Each structure stands twice: as C-alpha cells, then as structure tokens.
Amino acid sequence: MASDTETAIFRAAAALLEARGPAGLTTRAICAAVGITAPTLYHHFGDMDSLAMALIRQGRAEFTSRRRVPKASEDLMKQLRTHWDDAVDFTFKHPHLYALLVEQAQRHPELLDETFADMRALVQRLVDSGRFRVPLEEAARAILAAFNGVLSLRQWGTTSAREVAATSDLVFTALITELSKKR
C-alpha cells in the first residue's frame, strides 16, 4: 500500500504530465508541487525513470479497464478493429501519456512486448483462419507500423479527433484490404 507521500508524488506527476507533457516531469516541478525535497522523491520512486514507468503502468491499467472486450464468438476482424479503435481513442484522449510511453520505450523496448504479443496473437488467428493471406510476421509488422502512423498524427498536435478518426478508418481499411489479398 502506498504512503500518503508516495500517493501525493504520483498524483502531482500525473497532473504535471497531463498539463505539460513529458518535459514537465522534472524533479524540481514535482517536488515543488508536493512540497518535498528531491531525496524524498527518490526515496519513494528511486529515480525519475521509475516514476515514469509507474505512470505508464497506471495508464495501461486505465486503458485495460476501459477497453471493450469483444466476445470470443465475435468475428476476428471485428475484434482487431475494436482493439485498434479503443487504442486510438485512448491515445487521443491521453496524448502526453502516449508521448511518455514512446519516450520510455526508446530506452526500454520491453515496454511494448505485452502489447505486441497481444496484437500478434490476434493476427496469428487471422492468418490461421485464412483472413490474412500474408505471413504472420509481415502482417504483424504492417499493423504495428500503420497503427503507430495513425497515432503519430496526434503528436503533431494540430489534428482534430474527427480527422484522426477519418485517417484511422482509411488506414485500417486499406491495410486490411492488402493483408487479405492473395499474393
């Protein structure tokens, strides 16, 4: 169970991330927001990297709790689309958390392992069922690249939710069409 100080540090960091993005997560800003010294921050989180990872874990937990879980009987393509749309929507609503994830993933690529494994498992089922007519690794890489391309629109900061949704739909539809073609 987290102490009151640890909870205050975490909440201050989350608020700074939301307000200022990853650049706002500085030792000085967090300590000032909570009214503590740097040694207190480091006592509770070890270093800023650990605090960033805690924010990402919390964000993932929030995403997982809000994600629409398709029924096992639902069409596999519908399941893929649901996962895609939920992730695009969450990322659009939490652009600074996504930016922090991207930043941390450069130093800790294992952060993306679970996400990629989940997506790859669904793609495997689509390949096995004959819906995708390309090899598994090719399909998985293409979906990952296309998805990250859609998410990168938000990082530009000038794209509206409606524009992201339209582009997401276009990219998803074009990708699925290509992955479903016999080669």
Side-chain angles (χ1 to χ4, degrees):
M1 178 164 250
S3 69
D4 290 344
T5 302
E6 188 173 315
T7 299
I9 293 168
F10 185 85
R11 286 182 178 158
L16 286 166
L17 177 63
E18 184 70 27
R20 301 180 189 165
L25 287 178
T26 66
T27 301
R28 180 173 291 162
I30 294 167
C31 289
V34 182
I36 60 171
T37 61
T40 302
L41 171 66
Y42 296 132
H43 168 75
H44 288 281
F45 285 96
D47 58 19
M48 290 300 290
D49 231 22
S50 296
L51 180 55
M53 296 294 254
L55 290 166
I56 291 167
R57 280 192 303 276
Q58 175 62 34
R60 274 200 174 143
E62 181 184 342
F63 170 72
T64 301
S65 72
R66 292 182 178 188
R67 189 172 76 191
R68 296 173 288 165
V69 179
K71 298 173 190 147
S73 62
E74 277 189 318
D75 179 86
L76 293 173
M77 202 63 73
K78 184 176 180 182
Q79 289 180 32
L80 180 62
R81 183 60 194 247
T82 297
H83 289 307
W84 174 289
D85 289 343
D86 286 351
V88 169
D89 183 59
F90 186 83
T91 301
F92 192 83
K93 290 176 181 169
H94 303 279
H96 296 309
L97 180 61
Y98 175 69
L100 182 64
L101 173 64
V102 169
E103 183 181 284
Q104 288 294 309
Q106 291 173 357
R107 289 190 299 272
H108 306 283
E110 68 277 4
L111 272 171
L112 303 176
D113 287 350
E114 183 180 337
T115 301
F116 186 71
D118 288 346
M119 183 272 298
R120 191 178 181 283
L122 182 53
V123 171
Q124 177 72 61
R125 292 171 54 206
L126 285 158
V127 169
D128 291 347
S129 71
R131 296 287 302 269
F132 285 166
R133 314 281 306 259
V134 299
L136 169 63
E137 295 305 323
E138 184 179 341
R141 279 193 312 272
I143 289 171
L144 183 64
F147 180 73
N148 283 309
V150 169
L151 296 184
S152 73
L153 292 173
R154 185 59 181 138
Q155 295 310 110
W156 290 87
T158 57
T159 308
S160 72
R162 186 178 53 73
E163 292 167 329
V164 169
T167 302
S168 178
D169 187 54
L170 175 69
V171 169
F172 185 86
T173 302
L175 178 65
I176 297 310
T177 299
E178 283 301 308
L179 294 176
S180 299
K181 283 183 181 177
K182 187 170 185 161
R183 293 180 175 206

